[in-house]
Amino acid sequence: MAETHRVGGSPEKFKLKLRRFDPESGEAPYWDEHTIELEPHRSVLEGILQARARFDGSIGIRCSCRAAICGSCGVRINGEPGLACHTHLDHARDSSPDGTIEVEPMGNMPVIKDLVVDMDAVHWKKIQRVTPWLLAKQPVPEREYLVPRENMVDVTQSMACIQCGACVSDCLAMEVDPGFIGPAALAKAYRFVGDPRDAERHERLNDLSQDPQGIYDCTHCFKCVQACPKDVNPMGQIMRLRRIAGADEHIVDQNNGYRHEHAFVKNIRRNGLLHEADLVPDSSGGKFHPRAIPELISGMPTAIRGLMRGKMTLSKILLHPHKAPKPVKKYFDEIDSKPERYELNLYVTGYDEDDEPTPATVGEGSTT
Amino acid sequence: MSIKVAYWPGCVSRGFTPELHGSMAAVAPLLDIELVELDRANCCGAGVIAEHNQELADTLNARTFALAQQVQGAELMMNICSTCQGAQSECQERLDANAEYRAHVNRTLSAEGLTYKKDPGGAGGASFTNKNFLWLLVEEIGLDALRERVKRPLTNLKVGPFYGCYIVRPRERLGIDSEHPRDHYLAQVIEALGGTVISYAGERKCCGFPIITMNKEASLKQAGTHLGDAKDADADCLVTPCPLCHLNLDLQQPLAAKAVGRELQMPVLHLPQLVGLALGLEPKQLGMQRHIVRPTSVIDWSTAVVGAAA
């Protein structure tokens, strides 16, 4: 992945195509093109600022530190979310199909002007939603809390978030369900769920599980993992919230999240391969559970169509043609019944030294 | 030149999308791929087992890798499911990153006499390779060789690629870079087969399948939106390397159409079906009659598509 970027080098020309929009003008959004001249290793943000200084003082962009710390300059570059100050001009040119660097405002948030979006209307509301502060266990000790190092190292990954909104911009669940709490806020929630000083772990998890737009609304699309300039791995944090909610706190939510996970695991333990026909009723509590009946009825037309096309056969639906090999069952039982889960976190452990081509090169500014 | 692979078909290709497994079996000999099926292997967990217990998912997939490494003469492991590719790559990343962890998982597998080796060719050698059929097609067989085998170019067939998520993100883990633009391979294959590539908004978005039991409305809206976008871009059909995407895009398409309030009627092909069609196989041999939106009812293969039948 890591293309080497020359530091220094002589200035080159780059074509920038900027998405412009001024709601007060009453005009529709449009594209604006400028050719700027800078050393190839300089950032897209510097390119935009040069265009503003030289050609058009009205270009709207929010920025401050220019060093991937403040999180102000989140935009979409060639359709991908990221920080303008954290993307090299030559890299952006190379990732564009025609060599023109296309810069748009982030998605899932209303545009205030040009490349500036309304973070308050979406991102910060969602952050507020997860009670983003420590609710300390009582009584508060007279001196400092003593917390195991592993716990603190573990939550530093979600603490690395700089609130740039890149993950929110491209969240695919939010695209169809704007009320979804979303990747940034849920990663923030893990920061407190994973903190042993917090007194409200169960309540936090119960709240986020029961909310139809909470942890079980994530579609597992990896967009946020790819978008994050700080390697926060928001989707990974959401999966950990689910794991802790289900396995440690035994929270059975109204969204079928817990039941789906457990039905799936049970299904593979028994069959070795996924037996789809059992998954829907089992996710609702089992074939004979009252809750499963409406699900089964609403699924009937789909099942009938499948049967008529020969995709499914009755014997495939009713019988279990596959059986898991005995050792597989044993792995399920042994690993699942361990008092403590063995969870390798590469963010904490890093990669073995002998691995030359592994992602030690996630990008500068990442904290791996 | 033939290639022998340890073949992992996954679950759904033998469950609710049997036409995928069948079409792969039909296409393999035409591409000189020898498939040695891993019939004792288990479900990859599709991310759900990892969500439940990471060590369990890693152990189950290390088991599959170990079984693949036992296949004599196989150059690599091949899968036909993006979700398997993504879930297995995630586990492989952890297993390969940490020798101590690998040894821990291998201790569990020793109950069956199995071991997953990070570098099967010896220390410092090439690492274990698990490729989706799409990657194998472009990287091992090659687009030129594929082009040479086309018997019935898909002339005038407008195909929208549907990659889904698991095979394109995260890029580093999936080995996507400027030398391996794996997130553009579907387009390259469609072109090599003589078809026309249709770009549309949903190419690399989520089909919605993972939340179908939790938030049906949002899930179907996702499927319906992408199908509708492809229709607006004038696609005749979509092609996907992921059977789970296929479930939401095809099996659930009547419901997805309702969710977005428009008619869709968009056929969705599995990758081996599209390849097979161009290599001269008939829609029926490729199981297309099993689709909910029958490609044959929407597209007239014999005249509109097929330029010069060999």
Side-chain angles (χ1 to χ4, degrees):
Chain A
M1 172 68 194
E3 271 103 316
T4 40
H5 296 281
R6 285 167 294 130
V7 174
S10 47
E12 287 175 32
K13 288 191 168 146
F14 292 91
K15 229 193 233 174
L16 292 182
K17 196 171 154 193
L18 308 176
R19 189 75 170 161
R20 305 292 305 273
F21 176 57
D22 181 0
E24 284 172 20
S25 74
E27 281 168 43
Y30 61 98
W31 291 103
D32 199 8
E33 278 194 28
H34 296 291
T35 302
I36 55 102
E37 205 172 337
L38 275 172
E39 292 88 351
H41 72 277
R42 303 279 283 272
S43 72
V44 171
L45 176 63
E46 287 172 286
I48 297 168
L49 294 178
Q50 190 185 85
R52 185 167 75 177
R54 288 191 185 169
F55 311 117
D56 185 348
S58 74
I59 296 171
I61 170 99
R62 193 189 272 137
C63 66
S64 177
C65 78
R66 308 186 194 191
I69 292 166
C70 75
S72 301
C73 65
V75 288
R76 271 183 181 154
I77 299 169
N78 300 324
E80 298 295 332
L83 296 173
C85 73
H86 194 50
T87 310
H88 295 281
L89 282 164
D90 55 355
H91 194 138
R93 178 187 55 199
D94 297 345
S95 71
S96 151
D98 63 355
T100 303
I101 302 168
E102 220 176 76
V103 190
E104 295 167 89
M106 291 194 287
N108 282 333
M109 287 176 274
V111 176
I112 294 175
K113 183 177 186 296
D114 299 337
L115 304 173
V116 180
V117 298
D118 191 347
M119 298 280 284
D120 288 331
V122 180
H123 174 74
W124 291 111
K125 272 215 176 82
K126 290 177 187 294
I127 294 284
Q128 289 295 325
R129 162 73 185 80
V130 302
T131 320
W133 56 85
L134 193 79
L135 298 162
K137 280 180 183 157
Q138 301 295 333
V140 176
E142 257 172 60
R143 295 172 60 106
E144 67 272 28
Y145 280 102
L146 290 178
V147 175
R149 186 181 171 277
E150 306 84 73
N151 283 108
M152 278 342 266
V153 175
D154 176 56
V155 293
T156 53
Q157 187 171 15
S158 43
M159 287 162 76
C161 173
I162 54 170
Q163 313 291 340
C164 68
C167 59
V168 173
S169 161
D170 278 50
C171 173
L172 293 179
M174 218 184 274
E175 196 176 84
V176 288
D177 188 6
F180 174 43
I181 296 175
L186 289 173
K188 181 57 76 188
Y190 180 77
R191 187 253 167 273
F192 298 104
V193 166
D195 191 321
R197 297 169 299 176
D198 195 85
E200 307 289 330
R201 170 170 149 146
H202 183 85
E203 289 71 12
R204 286 179 190 272
L205 286 166
N206 192 49
D207 170 38
L208 299 173
S209 306
Q210 303 294 358
D211 188 329
Q213 294 165 320
I215 51 177
Y216 292 110
D217 205 20
C218 164
T219 68
H220 226 264
C221 73
F222 294 93
K223 268 280 186 183
C224 56
V225 180
Q226 185 67 55
C228 180
K230 291 291 176 185
D231 202 11
V232 168
N233 188 12
M235 192 190 102
Q237 312 301 341
I238 297 172
M239 294 307 128
R240 301 167 93 188
L241 289 171
R242 289 186 184 179
R243 206 176 292 150
I244 299 169
D248 300 341
E249 302 291 330
H250 311 288
I251 296 165
V252 181
D253 59 288
Q254 55 164 1
N255 306 302
N256 280 340
Y258 175 90
R259 275 184 292 265
H260 171 72
E261 178 195 314
H262 284 256
F264 191 99
V265 172
K266 194 179 91 184
N267 196 310
I268 309 302
R269 181 191 172 275
R270 181 161 70 160
N271 305 307
L273 301 177
L274 179 65
H275 186 262
E276 300 103 324
D278 280 353
L279 195 60
V280 172
D282 284 354
S283 294
S284 311
K287 270 190 203 100
F288 305 105
H289 194 283
R291 201 174 23 231
I293 292 167
E295 270 306 308
L296 283 175
I297 291 171
S298 78
M300 276 317 254
T302 308
I304 289 167
R305 275 190 294 269
L307 280 168
M308 286 178 51
R309 291 286 197 267
K311 266 179 152 353
M312 317 166 187
T313 57
L314 272 180
S315 70
K316 224 193 238 170
I317 291 179
L318 300 173
L319 306 173
H320 296 87
H322 284 281
K323 291 273 172 294
K326 267 203 189 107
V328 169
K329 276 194 182 137
K330 208 178 107 208
Y331 301 150
F332 271 86
D333 297 339
E334 279 179 11
I335 296 172
D336 236 358
S337 61
K338 285 183 183 174
E340 230 175 285
R341 286 186 299 277
Y342 186 171
E343 207 173 301
L344 185 77
N345 184 348
L346 294 177
Y347 182 84
V348 177
T349 62
Y351 297 78
D352 282 353
E353 300 262 321
D354 59 15
D355 292 337
E356 275 171 8
T358 44
T361 47
V362 186
E364 328 150 38
S366 100
T367 31
T368 312
Chain B
M1 195 194 77
S2 76
I3 180 168
K4 184 174 176 181
V5 298
Y7 172 46
W8 170 238
C11 309
V12 180
S13 77
R14 291 174 286 180
F16 278 6
T17 65
E19 69 279 0
L20 169 58
H21 188 36
S23 58
M24 188 64 235
V27 162
L30 303 180
L31 293 166
D32 287 324
I33 305 174
E34 188 188 336
L35 303 173
V36 183
E37 196 171 322
L38 298 169
D39 47 12
R40 282 168 57 215
N42 43 258
C43 170
C44 72
V48 184
I49 292 184
E51 160 192 334
H52 174 76
N53 188 317
Q54 208 174 269
E55 184 195 348
L56 180 57
D58 291 349
T59 306
L60 293 173
N61 283 310
R63 179 177 181 273
T64 303
F65 301 155
L67 289 168
Q69 289 179 334
Q70 282 187 338
V71 177
Q72 289 295 319
E75 286 171 46
L76 45 84
M77 174 173 149
M78 184 185 94
N79 65 75
I80 48 170
C81 172
S82 295
T83 301
C84 291
Q85 181 73 59
Q88 290 175 334
S89 294
E90 181 175 337
C91 294
Q92 193 187 346
E93 183 180 47
R94 281 191 289 267
L95 291 164
D96 287 357
N98 191 311
E100 201 186 307
Y101 185 61
R102 197 160 59 245
H104 170 81
V105 169
N106 275 331
R107 268 196 295 282
T108 311
L109 293 180
S110 66
E112 281 181 277
L114 291 171
T115 312
Y116 165 64
K117 292 186 273 307
K118 179 189 164 192
D119 34 15
S127 54
F128 173 67
T129 310
N130 171 29
K131 284 189 184 181
N132 184 272
F133 174 54
L134 175 63
W135 300 355
L136 182 117
L137 207 50
V138 177
E139 294 168 5
E140 310 293 328
I141 294 173
L143 292 168
D144 290 331
L146 179 64
R147 230 173 259 124
E148 280 167 25
R149 286 166 202 253
V150 171
K151 289 220 170 88
R152 214 164 46 178
L154 304 176
T155 316
N156 299 331
L157 184 65
K158 289 172 282 183
V159 189
F162 192 91
Y163 291 87
C165 304
Y166 277 85
I167 203 166
V168 291
R169 286 182 294 272
R171 293 169 63 86
E172 290 82 0
R173 182 188 292 155
L174 294 165
I176 301 173
D177 54 33
S178 49
E179 271 170 55
H180 304 90
R182 291 172 164 176
D183 53 343
H184 289 83
Y185 281 0
L186 274 180
Q188 295 178 359
V189 168
I190 295 166
E191 264 170 17
L193 301 177
T196 306
V197 182
I198 297 292
S199 275
Y200 64 103
E203 269 174 64
R204 296 179 189 81
K205 288 188 179 178
C206 175
C207 69
F209 184 77
I211 52 167
I212 188 80
T213 54
M214 276 92 86
N215 187 343
K216 202 168 189 172
E217 193 195 329
S219 170
L220 294 171
K221 243 191 211 169
Q222 286 184 302
T225 305
H226 308 327
L227 290 162
D229 284 347
K231 201 176 171 79
D232 292 342
D234 208 20
D236 294 322
C237 63
L238 299 184
V239 62
T240 181
C242 181
L244 283 82
C245 292
H246 197 272
L247 289 180
N248 236 33
L249 297 175
D250 180 61
L251 184 65
Q252 302 277 21
Q253 195 176 125
L255 295 178
K258 261 186 216 156
V260 293
R262 62 179 289 188
E263 202 189 319
L264 293 170
Q265 283 299 309
M266 177 60 65
V268 184
L269 273 60
H270 300 286
L271 178 61
Q273 288 178 322
L274 190 79
V275 175
L277 205 62
L279 298 191
L281 298 173
E282 294 306 315
K284 195 148 196 187
Q285 287 172 284
L286 297 162
M288 288 194 197
Q289 73 281 6
R290 295 221 160 132
H291 293 207
I292 297 308
V293 180
R294 285 186 183 170
T296 41
S297 69
V298 181
I299 308 161
D300 181 359
W301 303 108
S302 55
T303 58
V305 173
V306 180

